[in-house]
Amino acid sequence: MIYETHTHFDDKAFDIDRDEAIREAMAAGVTRFVNVGASLEGSIRSMELADKYPEFLAAVGVHPEECASLSEADIGLLEEYAERENVVAIGEIGLDYYWDKPERDIQKKWFAAQIALARKVKLPVIIHSREAAQDTYDILKAEKADETGGILHCFSYGCEMAKQFLDMGFYIGVGGVVTFKNAKKLKEVVGYLPLDRIVTETDSPYMAPVPMRGKRNTSAYLPYIVKQIADIKGVSVEEVEKVTYDNAVRLFGK
Ligand SMILES: [Zn+2]
């Protein structure tokens, strides 16, 4: 049993074979999926998937790259969505200074607003943070995200930053990058993290693990990620599956 904490099966990359791809992932041993919204439309599509499949849960939120046109009314909409039974997190939200668009002040404003929403509706947050470690940490701290908890998804920082987020009560999302030969830093971080603070994810359709690197990613490839974590930690695949599954259940409540 593998828990997929971050997938985008609503993405247009799955328009041709969505149901089949989901069935394949289930056949590969994935029994629970959090489909993560990256925009308002993506949040709606995530809820639709959660309505259709009992194995699916939804996260609703707006990704930093999509936040330029957000309004207070949109935050109100997210609040309505968040009240639904199968919505388990606010995300993905955060800061992306790699693409660096829209401008940082706008990203920060809507990141903070969505953390405040998470606190209000008492849901954890799923964080996208790229080349923005310190600002991410500072805003989470200022907005009291230690009260919501959540996941630093697709973690790309070092052990020192990881420790700070662990101290705030967060889980670290580990995906396909951990299988890349040149992913020295992430392998080190996985070695450092206690297993009971790691959650597994693909971020599909992006970031396919080795040996599928470069292809469309899907949750069916989660076993490659689990295997790599098991190798780094020197424990069995079953142990990684069980502990990371329990971690996700503890965080999302189901
Ligand atoms: Zn994502």
Side-chain angles (χ1 to χ4, degrees), residues 6 8 36 38 63 92 128 153 203 206:
H6 196 117
H8 301 283
V36 179
H63 188 287
E92 59 186 294
H128 170 105
H153 134 75
D203 202 19
Y206 312 105

Side-chain angles (χ1 to χ4, degrees), residues 2 4 6-7 14 28 154 174-183 186-187 200-229:
I2 306 176
E4 162 69 285
H6 196 117
T7 188
F14 291 104
C154 196
V174 176
V177 175
V178 78
T179 66
F180 297 177
K181 275 204 174 62
N182 58 358
L186 182 58
K187 288 183 198 276
T200 50
E201 61 172 40
T202 58
D203 202 19
S204 58
Y206 312 105
M207 294 284 189
V210 173
M212 302 301 176
R213 194 172 177 180
K215 296 191 179 164
R216 181 187 74 173
N217 197 8
T218 149
S219 304
Y221 300 159
L222 269 169
Y224 297 115
I225 294 161
V226 169
K227 173 76 168 70
Q228 184 70 56
I229 296 171

Side-chain angles (χ1 to χ4, degrees), residues 14-26:
F14 291 104
D15 280 354
I16 44 161
D17 63 347
R18 182 166 293 108
D19 292 319
E20 196 187 328
I22 289 170
R23 274 197 301 274
E24 275 172 17
M26 291 176 186

Side-chain angles (χ1 to χ4, degrees), residues 111-112 115 119 125 127 133-148 152 161 163-170:
F111 181 32
I115 301 167
R119 279 183 67 212
V125 287
I127 306 297
Q134 197 58 49
D135 280 359
T136 301
Y137 180 83
D138 290 345
I139 292 173
L140 284 171
K141 196 85 185 162
E143 296 296 327
K144 301 195 173 74
D146 51 330
E147 290 176 14
T148 68
L152 264 293
M161 248 4 264
K163 183 182 185 309
Q164 296 206 54
F165 289 117
L166 290 183
D167 288 347
M168 215 193 281
F170 273 70

Side-chain angles (χ1 to χ4, degrees), residues 90-107:
I90 300 297
E92 59 186 294
I93 61 175
L95 302 172
D96 193 317
Y97 294 174
Y98 176 78
W99 293 110
D100 225 4
K101 267 189 245 161
E103 62 182 85
R104 294 181 182 187
D105 281 348
I106 294 176
Q107 292 192 34

